[in-house]
Amino acid sequence: MNEPLISVIVPVYKVELYLERCVTSIRNQTYRNLEILLVDDGSPDRCGEMCDELAKEDPRIKVIHKVNGGLSDARNAGLDVMQGEYVGFVDSDDWIDKNTYALLYQRMCTENADISCGGIATHSSEKILSCFNPNLQETFTYDRKEAGRELIHNRIITNSVCDKLYKAKIFAQLRFKKGIVYEDFQIQYRLIALADRVTYTAQTCYYYFVAPNSISRGTFTKKQMDFVTNSLERIAFYKEYDPDALPACMAAHLDICLNLANRAYGTPVWKEVRGELKAQISRPYTGLSKKLRFKRTLFLCCPCFFVAFARVYQRLHK
């Protein structure tokens, strides 16, 4: 039986050190019928030239050169020209296991699913830092409502688009929102709402590289308040789509705001963002866990004590 074509979209920007590792991991897939779309997002270094050189080595590689527009714009450029019946995404400083697309496609067929999810390992330059789910034997299959509720917790089904394989038809009328950060969070629940079934295997498929200057570890900027806006949009979506999931969605929103407050406190932009964060944290919430209630109360009583507690907790649980 012929394997259907899978399009793999790779946005490329200032990743000279990591690009070859990423592309090699895709080229070495045991699933061979791939269209590899390298989207050079106006990278100012040698990345565009490297993409062209890689394309000469493998006819499955196609290169798109474009003016810089950000990660969402680069992914959208790939979506606009892809030919595959299925589509996956790999960020160009990350890499994937050699069996990733064979495994995700097999799960998709077996479970008659529209989205197939795999496990993630977080990696530094030296070692694996964590596995998202260490029980590699676990598998689950959900209908769209169950998957949407699981996504809120960001545990089994994550907000990342990179640990997944999608039927391309799901993107027929959806694109990544341009000009924001946390763009995966903004689109993932919308994609799942279009899927009849979502399947998951805990086997590690995707290796997420944590660089020192990544958004999650670098200096906090006001741009990262996009996360609050994205979360409020998700609340509005669930209010119409699945009202029973709203309390969990609200609790996740509170946790997002508390984490942002922890990261923003003491930075040059803290005075600009603290009012908005306090307003969100002060909202009425129901059904919170004891841990979230404690964190919320501590922040509202004294933000500096909350931050000190949060940072000590993080150090102890690394």
Side-chain angles (χ1 to χ4, degrees):
M1 183 176 71
N2 292 330
E3 295 177 328
L5 182 66
I6 294 176
S7 296
V8 184
I9 297 173
V10 185
V12 177
Y13 186 77
K14 295 175 72 172
V15 285
E16 284 186 54
L17 294 177
Y18 315 117
L19 180 59
E20 189 169 351
R21 176 183 68 185
C22 172
V23 176
T24 297
S25 76
I26 303 171
R27 292 176 64 188
N28 288 344
Q29 289 295 292
T30 54
Y31 190 103
R32 302 301 298 166
N33 193 19
L34 302 176
E35 174 189 51
I36 305 170
L37 297 171
L38 303 183
V39 185
D40 168 28
D41 191 33
S43 189
D45 54 11
R46 288 190 59 254
C47 280
E49 180 183 339
M50 292 173 68
C51 287
D52 291 335
E53 291 171 356
L54 289 165
K56 293 176 183 177
E57 299 174 5
D58 193 324
R60 299 175 299 172
I61 296 176
K62 301 174 184 176
V63 181
I64 301 168
H65 296 286
K66 60 181 288 296
V67 175
N68 178 252
L71 179 62
S72 291
D73 196 47
R75 286 175 174 168
N76 290 343
L79 287 169
D80 289 343
V81 302
M82 69 175 181
Q83 299 295 312
E85 186 179 343
Y86 300 87
V87 60
F89 302 89
V90 181
D91 287 345
S92 49
D93 50 354
D94 302 334
W95 68 98
I96 55 178
D97 182 81
K98 67 179 182 178
N99 294 313
T100 289
Y101 289 121
L103 176 62
L104 295 182
Y105 175 68
Q106 184 273 326
R107 286 285 306 170
M108 185 176 278
C109 293
T110 301
E111 300 299 319
N112 191 26
D114 298 306
I115 301 175
S116 184
C117 316
I120 297 180
T122 303
H123 213 288
S124 70
S125 298
E126 298 82 24
K127 61 181 181 180
I128 292 178
L129 301 175
S130 65
C131 286
F132 213 81
N133 189 337
N135 187 350
L136 301 184
Q137 303 306 311
E138 286 190 343
T139 59
F140 302 96
T141 299
Y142 307 92
D143 64 28
R144 66 164 66 102
K145 285 287 181 70
E146 292 168 336
R149 293 176 184 183
E150 181 56 47
L151 176 69
I152 292 170
H153 302 293
N154 194 36
R155 290 193 297 254
I156 294 173
I157 300 178
T158 73
N159 285 294
S160 173
V161 299
C162 292
D163 60 345
K164 298 173 178 67
L165 180 65
Y166 301 86
K167 285 187 177 177
K169 65 181 183 181
I170 287 180
F171 283 92
Q173 297 184 27
L174 268 182
R175 290 294 185 267
F176 291 89
K177 188 174 181 179
K178 300 176 186 178
I180 64 169
V181 296
Y182 305 109
E183 52 283 301
D184 289 16
F185 179 95
Q186 194 272 340
I187 198 173
Q188 190 63 257
Y189 60 90
R190 304 172 196 269
L191 294 166
I192 284 176
L194 294 172
D196 289 329
R197 287 163 66 84
V198 179
T199 191
Y200 166 84
T201 174
Q203 291 187 50
T204 302
C205 292
Y206 194 88
Y207 292 89
Y208 170 71
F209 179 64
V210 181
N213 62 345
S214 69
I215 286 175
S216 60
R217 293 180 62 179
T219 303
F220 186 92
T221 67
K222 193 174 179 181
K223 186 65 179 168
Q224 289 168 52
M225 292 296 287
D226 285 350
F227 209 170
V228 177
T229 303
N230 293 345
S231 182
L232 289 171
E233 288 180 3
R234 187 171 76 167
I235 289 169
F237 182 89
Y238 273 87
K239 191 176 291 185
E240 297 294 327
Y241 172 68
D242 187 5
D244 290 342
L246 200 56
C249 205
M250 291 292 295
H253 177 72
L254 173 60
D255 201 35
I256 287 166
C257 293
L258 287 167
N259 288 333
L260 288 172
N262 177 32
R263 294 186 53 221
Y265 188 85
T267 68
V269 299
W270 170 241
K271 290 183 179 180
E272 296 180 63
V273 303
R274 67 181 178 183
E276 182 178 354
L277 288 171
K278 185 176 181 180
Q280 293 300 323
I281 293 168
S282 299
R283 293 175 62 160
Y285 294 90
T286 59
L288 297 177
S289 66
K290 289 182 180 180
K291 180 180 176 182
L292 262 181
R293 287 201 305 270
F294 172 75
K295 289 168 65 176
R296 178 176 182 267
T297 301
L298 189 58
F299 174 85
L300 293 175
C301 290
C302 186
C304 64
F305 285 169
F306 161 76
V307 170
F309 173 83
R311 295 180 182 178
V312 168
Y313 182 89
Q314 287 169 347
R315 284 198 297 271
L316 293 175
H317 290 81
K318 276 187 176 181

